Amino acid sequence: AQKITQTQPGMFVQEKEAVTLDCTYDTSDQSYGLFWYKQPSSGEMIFLIYQGSYDEQNATEGRYSLNFQKARKSANLVISASQLGDSAMYFCAMREGRDDKIIFGKGTRLHILP
Amino acid sequence: DSGVTQTPKHLITATGQRVTLRCSPRSGDLSVYWYQQSLDQGLQFLIQYYNGEERAKGNILERFSAQQFPDLHSELNLSSLELGDSALYFCASSVLVDSPYGYTFGSGTRLTVV
């Protein structure tokens, strides 16, 4: 079974609009961590934001915020005021319990239109 | 520069051959992780080493092997290469098991098998 599901293979968004990238996860652990990474066309993996399962507030990092809905097992990434440089592949990922490895979803390719 | 160094950046080789990918983790990081990213696929976890010992194994083929040396650098060996092994191979490192910053990724080695 898929641990991380990203249902949007691709998205087109007008510059300066807000973007929501969907992510749902599956775990029976009470303690887990959720991550979002960005992969531009150059290929490197860039860490964006982290949410711990016990964090009561949604994580925010600059223009990035994570809309964490624990009961729905949802961890959507919100990018405010999108920019052309936001065009990239975005991966949602999870680390379960005491497990050290991070499992990635298949990604969403975001295109920002001028 | 993320601090994680992967060499070579690009590698082209023929089917049936063997290659070695090298990774130097960020200074102070004890864990090294290897991931494979095939075309239009998410990142697939291969294997993790912590301070020289194998800690976790993912869907790593028997033709693949890895090790971490006393100086903490790691090598991923791929043998009897097939066309389907063409992919971007990432190395990542971390110092803590439960880091809220996930991993630091290298820039990857792009392997093309012809």
Side-chain angles (χ1 to χ4, degrees), chain B residues 25-38:
Chain B
R26 197 177 52 170
S27 179
D29 287 357
L30 300 178
S31 273
V32 169
Y33 311 79
W34 287 97
Y35 283 82
Q36 178 193 58
Q37 184 180 27
S38 303

Side-chain angles (χ1 to χ4, degrees), chain A residues 35 37 39 42-45 47 49-50 61 91 95 97-107 109, chain B residues 31 33 35 37 41-45 48 55-56 88 90 96-103 105-107:
Chain A
F35 304 82
Y37 280 84
Q39 186 179 38
S42 51
E44 72 269 29
M45 294 290 290
F47 166 77
I49 198 166
Y50 167 84
E61 290 286 348
F91 292 99
R95 180 175 56 221
R98 293 185 61 80
D99 201 357
D100 201 10
K101 64 181 183 291
I102 295 177
I103 304 298
F104 287 81
K106 292 191 180 301
R109 187 169 296 280
Chain B
S31 273
Y33 311 79
Y35 283 82
Q37 184 180 27
Q41 293 292 314
L43 281 82
Q44 301 295 315
F45 171 73
Q48 178 205 355
R55 184 177 171 112
L88 187 55
F90 282 106
L96 297 174
V97 171
D98 198 18
S99 168
Y101 301 103
Y103 309 155
F105 279 84
S107 56

Side-chain angles (χ1 to χ4, degrees), chain B residues 1-61:
Chain B
D1 183 6
S2 69
V4 179
T5 304
Q6 288 189 249
T7 56
K9 292 194 183 306
H10 302 276
L11 197 50
I12 302 175
T13 190
T15 55
Q17 294 299 305
R18 171 189 166 96
V19 297
T20 297
L21 312 184
R22 182 187 169 101
C23 170
S24 293
R26 197 177 52 170
S27 179
D29 287 357
L30 300 178
S31 273
V32 169
Y33 311 79
W34 287 97
Y35 283 82
Q36 178 193 58
Q37 184 180 27
S38 303
L39 191 65
D40 294 330
Q41 293 292 314
L43 281 82
Q44 301 295 315
F45 171 73
L46 295 178
I47 197 163
Q48 178 205 355
Y49 281 83
Y50 179 80
N51 203 20
E53 297 200 359
E54 183 184 305
R55 184 177 171 112
K57 215 168 188 176
N59 297 324
I60 186 168
L61 300 173

